[in-house]
Amino acid sequence: MTCAIRAEELRKTFRVRETASGLGGTLRSLLRPRYREVHALAGVSFALEPGEMVGFIGPNGAGKSTTIKILSGILVPDGGTCTVGGLVPWERRVEHVARLGVVFGQRTQLWWDLPVTESFDLLADIYRLDRARAARRRQELVGRLDLGPLLDVPVRQLSLGQRMRCELAAALLHEPGLLFLDEPTIGLDAPAKLAIREFLRSLNREQGVTVILTTHDLDDVEALCRRLVVIHHGRLLFDGDLDGLRARVTSERRLTVDLDGDLDPARLPGVTVVAREGRRLVLAFDPATVSAPELIARLAALAPVRDLTVEAPPIEEIVAGFYRGLDP
Amino acid sequence: MDPARGTDRHDGGSGPWPPPMAGRNDGSAPRQGAFHLYWRLVAISIRAQAQYPGSLLLLSAGHLVVTLLEFLGVWALFDRFRLVRGWSLAEVALFYGLVNLSFALAEAVGRGFDAFDRLVRTGEFDVVLLRPRSEVLLICGQELRLSRAGRFAQGLIILGWGMSSLGLAGRPEVWMRLAWAVAGGTALFCGLFVLQATIAFWTVNSLEVVNTVTYGGVETAQFPIDIYPSAVRAFFTWVVPLASLNYLPLRGLLRGGDPGWVGWAAPLAGFLFLAVSLRLWRFGVRHYTSTGS
C-alpha cells in the first residue's frame, strides 16, 4: 500500500550569522564571522495515509514551516529521508510539485498587478493544463469559493479574506491530490475563516484530497483535523488525536454551574475553583477522584442548581499546558 | 464513518499516489512550451513598464545620452593620441559597440538574476520552486528591462559608425560574425548575473565582488584587451572570458593572422561560461535556506 507521505528522521540545521552590537562588533563580525547553529528539525518522522487531514501545531520557530518546505521540495534536509507519493521531493522537484498544491498564508502565488482571472490563465499555462478540463475545474472552484465578483479585480486590491480564497483556487486549479496549507487563516475575520474551513472540509471529504495544515489557530485544527502533530524545538512530540493530547496533559474536566443560592466550595472535596462570577461557579475536577454524576449530586444537595455544563478545558489551554510541560 | 478521511482513496487501490496530475495536457501542446511561457511572463513585465511610457522613454533616452557621453571620453583620448597600441578610434568603436550591445541585452534579459537577492530575501523564491517549470525560465520571465534599449542603441550607433568608417558596413559576413559575438557576449554577462545570484544563496547580500567584475569588465573590454598588463589579459581570457566577445572575433578581422575559425569559435566561451554558472546555480538551489515562515 502506498503511503501518501513518509518522513524519516528529517533533520535541518540553519547557520545563523551572529552580529555583535555596535560598529566595532560589526567590523569584527565582518572579519571573523560567527555562526550559531539552529536545529530547525532534529529528527522528525511521521507517515500519512492518502485522504488524511492533519494539523501541524507548535510555537513559532518550532519547525512546522521547515517541515512543510521540505515536503514541498523547497528545502533539502541535512539528514533523513522522505517520500511523497513515491517521489523524493527535492530530487524530482518539477514532477513532484505538479501534483501538489501549496498555500502560504503570508506569501502570494498570484501576480500582484494582474486581475485574478489572468493569474489563473497563467497558472494553467505553467501547469500545462488541458484547456477544456482547466476551464471546467476553474468554474467549479469559482462557484465553490464564490470568486465570481473578484475575477476582474487586480490582486493587490483584494481584501485578505478575498485573496485567501483566490489563493486556494490557484493552488487547486491543477487538481492536486495533496494540499499543504501554511497558516491559511492567519489574519482573517471569523466569517472568512469559517468559509475557508467549510471549503477545506468538503475538499477533503468529497475529493479525497490529503491535507496538511500548519496553524496557530487551534480552532482550525479542532474543526478540521482528527489527527494532530505537535512539533517543538524541531522534534515531533505528539502525534495522535485531540483526546489523546488532552489525556497527555490533563484528565481535568470543567463544571460550570449557575446557582440559586450560596455555596462554600470547600464543602466539595476534590474540586478547585477556576472562576467565580456572581452566582456562576467554574469548578475543575479530576474524574478519577470524583466522577461527574457524583459531583453533580453533591452540588445539588448543597444548593439549588439552575443550570450546569460539563466540558473539557479549551484546546488553547491544553496545548499551552502541553508546551509548559515540555519547557522545564 | 471516519469524518476526517477521504471516501475512497485509502483502501489500497493500485497505482501511484497521488495520482498523476489529472488536468495535464500530455500532448505538450506548443502553446505551453518554454518559449510560449517565457513570452507570456515577459508580456506582463512589458505591460507594467508600459503603464508609465513617459518614464520608460526618459529612462531609455537618459541611458542613451549618458552612455554616448562616455564614448566622448574615448574620442577625446584618441583625438590627442591618434592611435593606442596601434588601434584607431574607428577600430576601438567596434570593441566598444560589441561590449555595450552584449551588456545591454544581458541586462534586459537577465534582470531576474541580477535582482535575485531580493527574491531570496523576501522568500518569493519559495513560490518559484513550487511551480513545475524550470526555475531558470521562471526567473528570466520575471522582467524584461526595456530601458536598456538606451544602451543598446548607443552600442548600435557606435558599432555602425566604426563599421562604416572602416568600410566594413557592406559585408554581411562581418555583420553575422559580430551578431554571433554579441550572442556569446550576452551569454557571458548573463553567466555573471547567474553567478551573482548563486552567491545570494549563501550571503543574503549579493556579493559586490561579482559586480566589480561585471561593471569593471564592461569598462575594460571597451578597449582591445592587448593594451592591458598580462595579468588582466589572462584574467579576462581564461577566467571570465570577456576577450571572447570582442577581442578574439575582431583581431582576425582587423589585423589578420588568426585562422578564420578563431573568430567564429571564440564566442562559444561565453556559452560555456553560462553553462558552468548554471551548474553552480543548481548546486546553490540545493542550499537555499528560505526565510522564516
Side-chain angles (χ1 to χ4, degrees):
Chain A
M1 160 147 186
T2 33
C3 259
I5 297 175
R6 182 184 295 284
E8 270 162 40
E9 284 296 301
L10 288 179
R11 285 165 192 284
K12 183 79 189 174
T13 304
F14 294 114
R15 292 207 320 162
V16 180
R17 198 170 172 147
E18 291 205 312
T19 318
S21 57
L23 182 62
T26 310
L27 287 176
R28 230 174 302 130
S29 66
L30 256 178
L31 294 174
R32 203 185 308 146
R34 281 200 177 174
Y35 294 95
R36 182 168 47 95
E37 298 217 316
V38 178
H39 299 282
L41 291 182
V44 165
S45 309
F46 58 90
L48 244 76
E49 300 300 331
E52 273 196 280
M53 192 153 179
V54 179
F56 277 35
I57 62 174
N60 287 325
K64 301 175 308 252
S65 290
T66 304
T67 309
I68 293 280
K69 283 174 184 169
I70 289 174
L71 296 180
S72 310
I74 293 174
L75 294 181
V76 183
D78 300 326
T81 57
C82 115
T83 56
V84 178
L87 295 181
V88 177
W90 57 92
E91 280 173 6
R92 310 264 294 272
R93 182 186 71 78
V94 169
E95 263 173 276
H96 170 65
V97 297
R99 320 179 295 178
L100 176 68
V102 181
V103 174
F104 290 118
Q106 324 225 45
R107 212 158 276 163
T108 185
Q109 312 212 48
L110 304 164
W111 281 260
W112 208 240
D113 297 315
L114 294 186
V116 174
T117 176
E118 285 191 44
S119 282
F120 289 173
D121 287 344
L122 265 166
L123 285 168
D125 270 1
I126 287 177
Y127 283 89
R128 303 172 192 267
L129 302 184
D130 174 75
R131 221 171 230 185
R133 184 154 185 164
R136 266 202 309 281
R137 171 68 163 181
R138 185 171 144 163
Q139 219 165 24
E140 179 204 332
L141 289 167
V142 166
R144 289 172 67 162
L145 287 161
D146 193 20
L147 305 180
L150 309 178
L151 287 176
D152 293 320
V153 182
V155 172
R156 68 183 130 77
Q157 289 174 14
L158 296 175
S159 75
L160 189 58
Q162 291 171 333
R163 207 195 82 210
M164 220 44 227
R165 272 154 44 211
C166 294
E167 299 274 357
L168 269 172
L172 292 167
L173 280 174
H174 57 290
E175 305 177 43
L178 191 57
L179 181 64
F180 296 161
L181 303 160
D182 200 7
E183 306 195 18
T185 57
I186 197 163
L188 298 188
D189 59 21
K193 273 185 191 175
L194 289 180
I196 283 181
R197 278 183 204 146
E198 186 46 48
F199 173 76
L200 291 176
R201 197 176 302 129
S202 68
L203 187 76
N204 174 254
R205 272 196 209 162
E206 290 162 25
Q207 302 183 11
V209 174
T210 309
V211 180
I212 296 185
L213 177 85
T214 79
T215 185
H216 284 297
D217 188 336
L218 295 162
D219 293 338
D220 283 347
V221 175
E222 201 167 22
L224 293 174
C225 308
R226 253 178 56 95
R227 179 175 169 196
L228 66 111
V229 167
V230 182
I231 298 181
H232 192 39
H233 291 323
R235 289 178 192 285
L236 193 149
L237 295 176
F238 178 83
D239 183 350
D241 60 10
L242 186 57
D243 289 337
L245 182 67
R246 208 169 258 150
R248 273 284 219 51
V249 178
T250 171
S251 52
E252 183 189 282
R253 292 285 179 279
R254 295 276 167 91
L255 175 76
T256 307
V257 59
D258 290 334
L259 296 169
D260 261 342
D262 273 333
L263 170 73
D264 179 11
R267 296 172 65 186
L268 292 168
V271 162
T272 51
V273 181
V274 179
R276 179 165 211 168
E277 209 181 292
R279 293 266 166 96
R280 168 170 289 190
L281 263 178
V282 182
L283 305 168
F285 65 99
D286 184 348
T289 344
V290 51
S291 76
E294 213 177 314
L295 181 63
I296 294 167
R298 270 196 222 161
L299 199 68
L302 291 171
V305 173
R306 198 192 299 153
D307 190 12
L308 107 191
T309 50
V310 179
E311 57 197 358
I315 181 169
E316 276 83 5
E317 279 181 35
I318 294 176
V319 171
F322 188 63
Y323 295 160
R324 258 200 309 281
L326 301 169
D327 290 318
Chain B
M1 189 169 145
D2 188 343
R5 295 204 174 201
T7 45
D8 53 357
R9 299 253 187 176
H10 73 291
D11 36 42
S14 55
W17 196 97
M21 214 175 39
R24 184 163 175 144
N25 182 353
D26 281 324
S28 281
R31 72 182 180 93
Q32 290 165 322
F35 276 110
H36 169 81
L37 181 60
Y38 177 74
W39 285 118
R40 293 249 0 217
L41 293 171
V42 154
I44 297 171
S45 138
I46 292 176
R47 258 198 314 186
Q49 295 171 73
Q51 292 215 320
Y52 306 98
S55 135
L56 177 62
L57 214 68
L58 277 177
L59 213 63
S60 307
H63 220 121
L64 174 63
V65 171
V66 168
T67 47
L68 274 178
L69 283 177
E70 271 175 29
F71 191 69
L72 219 59
V74 181
W75 173 80
L77 183 78
F78 277 82
D79 190 49
R80 180 91 175 71
F81 297 105
R82 301 261 330 279
L83 293 177
V84 173
R85 275 242 170 177
W87 299 98
S88 70
L89 178 61
E91 285 172 330
V92 168
L94 300 192
F95 290 85
Y96 201 95
L98 287 185
V99 173
N100 281 292
L101 285 175
S102 303
F103 190 56
L105 284 174
E107 272 200 307
V109 172
R111 173 65 184 168
F113 282 99
D114 193 9
F116 182 70
D117 57 327
R118 203 203 63 220
L119 288 195
V120 171
R121 232 176 313 126
T122 57
E124 282 172 66
F125 189 54
D126 287 3
V127 176
V128 170
L129 288 176
L130 288 176
R131 301 197 157 141
R133 284 307 186 91
S134 141
E135 59 271 25
V136 174
L137 172 67
L138 293 171
I139 289 170
C140 286
Q142 290 222 326
E143 190 175 343
L144 181 69
R145 247 199 316 190
L146 297 178
S147 65
R148 299 303 130 157
R151 188 190 281 273
F152 189 82
Q154 175 252 20
L156 216 53
I157 290 169
I158 290 172
L159 183 74
W161 174 77
M163 294 275 280
S164 64
S165 305
L166 296 169
L168 294 170
R171 286 170 57 187
E173 182 260 353
V174 176
W175 284 108
M176 267 168 65
R177 205 177 253 263
L178 298 189
W180 172 234
V182 168
T186 306
L188 175 60
F189 283 119
C190 284
L192 281 169
F193 290 140
V194 171
L195 271 188
Q196 181 189 325
T198 305
I199 291 170
F201 288 119
W202 283 276
T203 77
V204 177
N205 298 311
S206 237
L207 263 197
E208 289 299 316
V209 174
V210 181
N211 255 327
T212 312
V213 174
T214 311
Y215 291 97
V218 172
E219 296 294 321
T220 308
Q222 287 174 345
F223 295 91
I225 206 165
D226 64 0
I227 68 169
Y228 298 107
S230 61
V232 176
R233 220 155 53 202
F235 180 79
F236 285 118
T237 307
W238 301 110
V239 185
V240 179
L242 282 171
S244 72
L245 82 88
N246 57 9
Y247 182 67
L248 293 172
L250 289 174
R251 188 174 62 181
L253 185 73
L254 300 174
R255 291 286 154 91
D258 282 339
W261 62 266
V262 171
W264 286 106
L268 285 174
F271 292 100
L272 189 69
F273 187 82
L274 177 60
V276 171
S277 300
L278 286 171
R279 277 304 280 269
L280 288 172
W281 154 266
R282 299 243 150 77
F283 177 74
V285 172
R286 301 201 62 155
H287 287 81
Y288 175 57
T289 50
S290 189
T291 52
S293 69

